Amino acid sequence: MYIRPFDPWKSPLCTCPFKYTLNPYTGCDHACVYCYITSYIPNAFRVRTKKDLIPKLEKELRKFDRRYIVALSYSSDPYPTVERELGITRKVLELFKRYGVRCLILTKSDIFERDIDILSELRCAVGVTVTTVDERKAKLLEPNAPSPRRRIKALKKAKDAGIPVYARIDPIIPYYTWEDFDRTLDALSFVSHITVSTLKLRPDSKKRMFAKFPELMKKLWLLYERGEKIGGYYYLPKDVRMPLLREAEKKITEKGITFGSCREGYRSFPTCDGSHLVP
């Protein structure tokens, strides 16, 4: 099965409404330093195609309950660099259109701009993740992803085409991306919903962060040592995390944007993931 229920681990901190997820590719070449998929996908930064994805997916869609949303995607970006040539995600969207599937797109790429023609005819919402609008910091954190400026420009085009749009400011990193939060939020002030999440570290991502940002991590790890470990992730301590989330919520809602938080044990309204935007 290529379409699967989201959150197979049944995390107690996951507050997403029930939905399905589909990853058109295996792996992601954006190679974000903080990425979590390296803990469960071998060679996670190498993109691979899936055998017979389109014909097998069509068979699944014939029986799919169209009340539910399919999210693209949470384990591998639906728009890796090779999508420009292969167009596999576009073929998936064409199937969604044919079978009337509701979908939620999330990406760190601007390639989805090519598919606005199909997306504007789907029952969908489109979102981009922007960790920071500081181009230098973003390049260090997400070395192979398109720039935040390009992602935001493409998202504005989607909104102009009448597509509901949202964003994730994720992960929030104290001493680093949090310093740019106001500017990042200002750049995304045209969206309808924003989800935030603080940096959560697993042993593999911790190792990469220390290698890439040794001075930053010396300060950061002092915080994480006071934090808690939940589901294999190191979390910031609550006395740091909760005030940060409250401030983010206040800034976001003051702009008339709905607020969500992801796996924080904090509130969201009306959804954490922006799925309420899907018609």
Side-chain angles (χ1 to χ4, degrees):
M1 294 286 289
Y2 284 126
I3 299 177
R4 298 176 180 173
F6 179 65
D7 191 33
W9 299 283
K10 306 296 181 190
S11 166
L13 288 178
C14 182
T15 54
C16 285
F18 180 79
K19 63 186 173 188
Y20 289 88
T21 186
L22 167 68
N23 293 282
Y25 295 89
T26 298
C28 178
D29 63 350
H30 293 161
C32 302
V33 181
Y34 51 78
C35 186
Y36 56 85
I37 70 169
T38 54
S39 66
Y40 61 91
I41 297 179
N43 301 311
F45 295 153
R46 181 171 64 85
V47 176
R48 286 90 81 192
T49 57
K50 297 184 174 184
K51 186 178 180 181
D52 298 326
L53 170 67
I54 298 304
K56 288 181 178 178
L57 177 60
E58 182 160 18
K59 285 183 180 178
E60 291 181 31
L61 291 178
R62 287 175 188 147
K63 301 176 183 177
F64 185 71
D65 188 335
R66 290 162 183 76
R67 292 175 299 171
Y68 295 114
I69 288 172
V70 178
L72 302 181
S73 23
Y74 291 120
S75 287
S76 301
D77 197 297
Y79 288 98
T81 307
V82 73
E83 169 64 16
R84 290 190 187 278
E85 299 171 26
L86 300 182
I88 291 171
T89 295
R90 183 175 177 88
K91 291 173 184 173
V92 168
L93 295 177
E94 288 169 346
L95 284 180
F96 283 1
K97 179 183 172 184
R98 187 182 310 164
Y99 287 94
V101 176
R102 304 170 70 217
C103 64
L104 192 65
I105 310 292
L106 181 64
T107 180
K108 277 198 186 85
S109 178
D110 62 337
I111 299 175
F112 71 89
E113 183 182 333
R114 177 203 64 191
D115 296 337
I116 285 177
D117 59 332
I118 298 176
L119 292 166
S120 62
E121 296 179 352
L122 285 172
R123 292 190 295 164
C124 73
V126 176
V128 298
T129 298
V130 181
T131 310
T132 172
V133 288
D134 184 303
E135 298 283 328
R136 182 188 65 84
K137 290 181 183 178
K139 188 65 176 176
L140 290 170
L141 283 167
E142 305 152 356
N144 299 333
S147 72
R149 181 177 62 253
R150 284 167 56 188
R151 295 175 224 171
I152 294 168
K153 183 179 178 182
L155 198 65
K156 284 181 177 175
K157 288 186 178 180
K159 180 170 184 177
D160 289 345
I163 300 167
V165 296
Y166 69 103
R168 288 183 70 116
I169 302 179
D170 170 22
I172 291 174
I173 305 174
Y175 310 127
Y176 202 65
T177 65
W178 181 239
E179 314 302 312
D180 314 318
F181 187 84
D182 288 346
R183 289 195 301 128
T184 304
L185 178 56
D186 284 344
L188 292 165
S189 60
F190 63 93
V191 306
S192 298
H193 179 81
I194 291 178
T195 299
V196 302
S197 181
T198 57
L199 176 66
K200 303 168 183 66
L201 293 167
R202 295 183 71 101
D204 52 336
S205 55
K206 173 191 169 187
K207 184 177 179 180
R208 290 194 301 272
M209 287 291 292
F210 264 103
K212 189 78 173 274
F213 305 100
E215 295 306 311
L216 169 64
M217 288 303 294
K218 282 180 187 176
K219 292 192 296 181
L220 261 185
W221 194 246
L222 291 175
L223 295 179
Y224 281 91
E225 283 182 324
R226 293 199 296 108
E228 52 194 325
K229 197 169 183 182
I230 306 172
Y233 290 88
Y234 297 97
Y235 274 67
L236 287 167
K238 282 189 175 179
D239 63 350
V240 173
R241 206 167 86 242
M242 293 303 163
L244 187 153
L245 292 167
R246 281 194 293 270
E247 188 171 351
E249 179 186 23
K250 182 174 182 289
K251 291 173 182 289
I252 289 167
T253 55
E254 281 177 349
K255 290 186 176 291
I257 301 169
T258 59
F259 169 85
S261 64
C262 182
R263 301 188 186 222
E264 295 284 359
Y266 190 74
R267 59 181 169 263
S268 300
F269 182 82
T271 60
C272 58
D273 59 356
S275 57
H276 62 281
L277 299 176
V278 179

